Amino acid sequence: MNYSSPTFKGKILKRYKRFLADIELSEDTPINKKGDIIVAHTANTGSMKTCWGENWDVLVSYHDNPKRKLKYSLELTHNSETWIGVNTALPNKLAVEAIENGVIRELQGYQTIKPEEKVGKSRIDIFLYSGDKSSPTEQCYVEVKNVTLLGDNKRALFPDSVSERGQKHLLELTELKRQGIRACMLYIVQREDVDSFSPASEIDPKYSELLKKAHEQGVEILVYQCKLSDLGVEVSHAVDFLL
């Protein structure tokens, strides 16, 4: 997936108020000069632990939209080893693209892909179905999570902070499976310095326990890693899920 808006490199100075980051530009943009300090929107509600440090290289996208207060969005950070995808608006699009392109082999064979389907009190990210939409045997629900936290032994972890919303999604998926409907938890790993994935039990023990129970009851756990560059991001290959 290539970026739909122009992108520019810079260095991150600080992140604050959850959704803001000060960036020193490393090149000219349509409205700013190299060396200017701009404020970029950060579409990431997590802690971004292990995802940024002062003066790390970053990539921001520029949006010439008069309705936007902030013209830049933080897309990637770089820790000197890998780009890290910190825009949490991107993983759902990456997942749909990877399903359509046949990369996520476990989710092939469905006729229709529908983003955002209401289930109970939640919205599940992707709804796949074939033939009769109302038939449980023709349905598959997929919840998508962006993974950026680096743990020990080159292991990616999720979540990077306590996630009550994530806990709720696991309960919804487990209930769907109990009803005989296929349910999948899909983790999109947006960094290349890891080779396996586990739940972050020390950060959110309840989420970790719910994930283990969901897995035991038949919810499928899929983990796919991305290739990232300043040109774009794409889902590349599966990595091991370790409890």
Side-chain angles (χ1 to χ4, degrees):
M1 176 180 291
N2 295 327
Y3 293 108
S4 58
S5 300
T7 57
F8 301 91
K9 293 180 179 178
K11 290 187 179 294
I12 186 169
L13 305 180
K14 65 178 180 178
R15 181 206 183 199
Y16 55 102
K17 295 181 179 179
R18 293 179 69 189
F19 299 106
L20 303 176
D22 285 351
I23 309 293
E24 181 179 347
L25 293 171
S26 301
E27 54 189 330
D28 293 345
T29 78
I31 59 174
N32 290 97
K33 298 294 185 182
K34 177 180 176 180
D36 284 353
I37 296 175
I38 56 97
V39 180
H41 178 253
T42 305
N44 192 313
T45 59
S47 71
M48 284 181 56
K49 184 179 180 182
T50 75
C51 292
W52 80 277
E54 188 176 352
N55 291 319
W56 281 20
D57 290 332
V58 299
L59 190 76
V60 296
S61 56
Y62 169 72
H63 304 268
D64 185 15
N65 183 341
K67 295 183 179 180
R68 279 188 60 140
K69 181 178 179 180
L70 299 177
K71 301 299 183 183
Y72 299 93
S73 291
L74 182 60
E75 300 289 346
L76 303 175
T77 63
H78 201 287
N79 67 353
S80 79
E81 292 186 39
T82 177
W83 286 109
I84 303 165
V86 296
N87 185 345
T88 53
L90 198 60
N92 287 14
K93 298 175 184 177
L94 289 169
V96 169
E97 179 183 78
I99 295 169
E100 292 176 339
N101 293 344
V103 175
I104 302 179
R105 58 187 182 276
E106 296 93 340
L107 299 178
Q108 301 304 298
Y110 293 94
Q111 296 173 349
T112 303
I113 302 176
K114 181 183 176 184
E116 295 287 329
E117 181 75 1
K118 194 173 189 318
V119 176
K121 296 181 179 180
S122 301
R123 284 191 178 275
I124 302 300
D125 290 320
I126 300 173
F127 178 44
L128 306 171
Y129 64 91
S130 296
D132 183 1
K133 179 182 176 180
S134 63
S135 173
T137 59
E138 300 287 334
Q139 300 174 349
C140 177
Y141 287 86
V142 183
E143 179 63 21
V144 182
K145 297 298 182 188
N146 189 52
V147 180
T148 57
L149 178 60
L150 174 63
D152 295 333
N153 302 315
K154 299 185 69 174
R155 188 171 299 183
L157 304 172
F158 183 90
D160 65 0
S161 58
V162 174
S163 177
E164 293 182 1
R165 184 169 180 267
Q167 296 168 14
K168 184 173 69 171
H169 286 144
L170 287 175
L171 291 171
E172 296 282 8
L173 290 175
T174 302
E175 176 59 21
L176 286 168
K177 183 60 183 178
R178 190 189 68 78
Q179 296 173 22
I181 300 170
R182 189 183 182 195
C184 301
M185 187 68 245
L186 172 60
Y187 295 97
I188 301 294
V189 181
Q190 283 203 82
R191 60 188 305 155
E192 296 184 66
D193 55 354
V194 295
D195 54 23
S196 62
F197 168 83
S198 291
S201 56
E202 293 185 3
I203 293 175
D204 192 341
K206 184 174 181 179
Y207 183 92
S208 179
E209 185 61 29
L210 287 173
L211 181 61
K212 291 175 183 177
K213 288 181 178 179
H215 184 241
E216 290 170 356
Q217 294 180 43
V219 175
E220 297 170 53
I221 313 300
L222 310 177
V223 186
Y224 273 78
Q225 190 172 28
C226 294
K227 287 186 177 180
L228 307 99
S229 76
D230 55 358
L231 299 177
V233 181
E234 64 178 1
V235 177
S236 173
H237 61 278
V239 297
D240 290 337
F241 165 57
L242 305 174
L243 285 173

